Amino acid sequence: MRPSLRFEGRLLITPLAAFLLALLGFPLLVDLLYSVSHVGFENIRTPQVIGLANYAKAIGDPELWSAAWFSLRFGLTVASIQVVAGLALAVFLAPLFAQRPWLIAFLMLPMMVAPALVGLMYRLILHEFVGAVPYYLLKWWGDFPAFLDRRWVFTTIVAIESLQWTPFALLILHSSYSSISPDVHEAAALDGATGARRFLHVDLPLMAPTLGVTFFIRFIDSFRVFDNLYTLVGAGAGGSTTSMSIYIYQAFFKVGDIGLAVAASMLLLAASFAVLIAIDRLTATRAPR
């Protein structure tokens, strides 16, 4: 790249970089200070620096590892379901979307509902005493599972999260699939690659970076799940549905240990960057050159 073009590129990105630094830089510095300080609501303006004690306390807390394991299982499960379902719908509905693109707007409707409202809505629908779903299951089959108890709650929240956010994956993957040039498909057909073979050896490699980005976005969003989970079941029986976000919320507002809460959030941020780097390298090696 010529030096003049490189300079112009840096000049164009400078306003965005300055905006991000102003928006995120100061809160990040404050969080870093709080994460190495003894700080609560009583001394939030005068934190006492204590080094890495908050990180050691967070890492040594079994409840944090339990919350991290729940968030990891939930994030991987939900992201995998959404990407696979979104990809299948994008490929299967591509001819229909080409003729009636306005149908995509209807499939996006679940995303328009606030997650907290979704949690409250399903809490009412699935309630074992007043819920409509248990009522009709009991009426038609004589029994129903307790959707929100310790045995079924993980499956329930995975299904709810997938139903709401699969349209997001569908939207991104449909855009990626529809952007593949028809010339590529024609060349593949001349080489004898049609149907499933073309999809596996032509379409899927071309969509690999988009699949990786979609999986990362949905994994991170599901890993830090809070609002719909908190309004649906909260921390659950014995902390069975305590995610990392709920753990940080409880440490901050209920326990009042702001240093511990911020240290846990810094660990969550570091884990997010690690996942981003891993997915970026994985998709880069599999993408066609």
Side-chain angles (χ1 to χ4, degrees):
M1 182 181 293
R2 291 181 300 174
S4 59
L5 293 178
R6 186 180 296 110
F7 174 76
E8 291 178 0
R10 293 176 178 174
L11 186 63
L12 290 173
I13 203 174
T14 298
L16 177 61
F19 173 77
L20 291 177
L21 286 175
L23 183 66
L24 303 176
F26 178 73
L28 180 61
L29 291 176
V30 173
D31 285 344
L32 288 174
L33 173 62
Y34 282 171
S35 69
V36 295
S37 303
H38 173 69
V39 56
F41 289 106
E42 68 281 357
N43 66 329
I44 194 170
R45 294 184 179 180
T46 56
Q48 302 174 2
V49 178
I50 57 174
L52 301 178
N54 288 324
Y55 289 96
K57 182 178 179 180
I59 294 174
D61 188 357
E63 293 184 4
L64 180 136
W65 291 107
S66 177
W69 172 238
F70 171 84
S71 295
L72 180 63
R73 286 191 301 130
F74 182 75
L76 290 175
T77 304
V78 168
S80 300
I81 292 175
Q82 292 176 10
V83 169
V84 172
L87 179 61
L89 290 172
V91 175
F92 181 75
L93 298 177
L96 182 62
F97 288 154
Q99 297 178 356
R100 298 176 178 84
W102 51 269
L103 289 175
I104 299 179
F106 287 95
L107 295 177
M108 298 299 111
L109 288 178
M111 297 168 46
M112 306 305 167
V113 184
L117 182 59
V118 171
L120 290 173
M121 178 180 67
Y122 277 101
R123 184 176 182 178
L124 179 62
I125 292 174
L126 300 176
H127 195 279
E128 58 182 324
F129 296 118
V130 298
V133 173
Y135 170 78
Y136 285 107
L137 288 178
L138 181 63
K139 182 178 180 179
W140 294 336
W141 283 283
D143 195 10
F144 63 90
F147 293 100
L148 303 181
D149 73 351
R150 190 183 185 96
R151 179 182 177 186
W152 288 94
V153 66
F154 186 81
T155 303
T156 300
I157 59 179
V158 165
I160 293 173
E161 185 79 359
S162 300
L163 286 173
Q164 183 176 15
W165 292 107
T166 294
F168 176 85
L170 167 63
L171 181 63
I172 296 180
L173 297 177
H174 167 68
S175 301
S176 177
Y177 183 74
S178 60
S179 66
I180 298 176
S181 174
D183 296 337
V184 175
H185 289 166
E186 293 177 3
L190 291 176
D191 291 336
T194 58
R197 180 179 297 179
R198 187 193 73 184
F199 175 75
L200 291 175
H201 297 285
V202 178
D203 296 337
L204 206 56
L206 290 173
M207 296 176 65
T210 306
L211 287 168
V213 171
T214 306
F215 182 87
F216 169 75
I217 293 174
R218 292 310 314 142
F219 171 77
I220 291 300
D221 196 40
S222 302
F223 187 86
R224 62 180 183 83
V225 63
F226 175 78
D227 36 13
N228 54 348
L229 180 61
Y230 191 79
T231 55
L232 181 63
V233 289
S240 58
T241 57
T242 301
S243 65
M244 282 292 294
S245 296
I246 292 179
Y247 174 87
I248 294 170
Y249 168 82
Q250 291 178 333
F252 196 104
F253 289 103
K254 292 189 175 181
V255 180
D257 194 342
I258 298 178
L260 174 64
V262 175
S265 67
M266 290 294 103
L267 293 174
L268 179 60
L269 178 65
S272 302
F273 272 107
V275 173
L276 173 61
I277 294 172
I279 293 178
D280 178 68
R281 292 184 177 180
L282 181 62
T283 55
T285 56
R286 294 191 176 185
R289 300 182 183 276

